[in-house]
Amino acid sequence: TPEKVSGALAFLKDKGLWLCVVAIFLGGATECTMAQWASGYLEKAVGIPKVLGDVFGVALFGVALGLGRTLYSKKGKNVERVLLLGCIGAAVCYLTAAVCDIAVVGLLACAFTGFCASMLWPGSLIVSANRFPQGGVFIYAMMAAGGDFGASVGPQLVGVITDGVMGNAAAAGFAQSLGLTVEQLGMKCGMLVGAIFPILGIIVFSIVCKIKKKADTQGAGI
């Protein structure tokens, strides 16, 4: 109906909606990049056999992801702050994976990313629902599109970078000078690129926190 169309257009003009879409895009990219690349990273970058990488890396990531969401459902509050802290933790985990050569540390970085990223996707939905209580299906459709896009772009970008480094003759020489194989260098570069998403998330969720704090202050009549 014309009323629904005009309502959707009004939402599309709201910068707050696009901020929420960017937030869930970054959250989806942060979560799914590590979920899809943890096994390959553990095998090629730190030398953990694939079976062990799948069992301990991917499985622990999933357990940590579920644990984070369960804890929030039981004890969580102030979701904006949780999302900001989650991005900070995820960025640290990605950077640790990119620079560390110790297998156990790399494994823990992959697993703990699951805990840090656990609320980035669902938490962004909570923020959008609070911000647009009358948005209904349209808001959730926009958020779903943003999250799915991030979940696709993040792993794909890391794959492009990793393959590009592995197929580069100059990179092979550089890797040798660092005492690494070209596969190790490729995966570490991929993880470094993956860190871009939570780092950008820190900026976005800092803005979200400021908006929420301003709204709370105005609501309290201060």
Side-chain angles (χ1 to χ4, degrees):
T1 63
E3 292 79 9
K4 290 184 178 181
V5 172
S6 61
L9 290 176
F11 282 125
L12 289 174
K13 294 177 182 178
D14 192 320
K15 294 179 181 179
L17 171 60
W18 293 107
L19 183 65
C20 289
V21 171
V22 171
I24 201 170
F25 168 85
L26 295 172
T30 298
E31 175 186 329
C32 292
T33 297
M34 185 61 80
Q36 294 188 28
W37 281 99
S39 178
Y41 161 78
L42 292 171
E43 179 184 6
K44 297 182 182 298
V46 295
I48 295 178
K50 179 172 176 55
V51 173
L52 294 179
D54 287 346
V55 171
F56 292 105
V58 179
L60 285 177
F61 176 92
V63 169
L65 192 74
L67 177 61
R69 290 174 179 172
T70 301
L71 287 176
Y72 184 84
S73 70
K74 298 293 185 182
K75 304 288 186 180
K77 56 182 180 179
N78 196 349
V79 66
E80 292 83 6
R81 181 174 175 81
V82 169
L83 295 175
L84 176 58
L85 293 176
C87 278
I88 293 172
V92 171
C93 289
Y94 269 95
L95 293 173
T96 299
V99 303
C100 184
D101 294 323
I102 303 173
V104 173
V105 176
L107 178 64
L108 291 175
C110 291
F112 197 62
T113 302
F115 183 79
C116 295
S118 61
M119 285 305 297
L120 297 183
W121 194 319
S124 297
L125 288 173
I126 295 173
V127 170
S128 66
N130 292 338
R131 175 67 176 79
F132 304 100
Q134 307 300 324
V137 175
F138 177 76
I139 296 299
Y140 286 108
M142 289 291 294
M143 295 297 286
D148 289 344
F149 189 45
S152 174
V153 169
Q156 183 68 23
L157 179 60
V158 169
V160 169
I161 297 299
T162 300
D163 290 343
V165 171
M166 289 182 182
N168 190 297
F174 181 64
Q176 187 175 12
S177 70
L178 296 175
L180 302 172
T181 65
V182 69
E183 288 82 8
Q184 288 176 314
L185 180 62
M187 285 305 311
K188 287 179 177 294
C189 288
M191 284 295 166
L192 192 61
V193 170
I196 292 174
F197 300 109
I199 289 173
L200 291 176
I202 294 172
I203 298 172
V204 171
F205 286 115
S206 293
I207 297 172
V208 171
C209 284
K210 289 180 180 179
I211 293 173
K212 179 63 165 56
K213 184 176 180 180
K214 182 179 179 181
D216 289 344
T217 300
Q218 292 175 342
I222 298 176

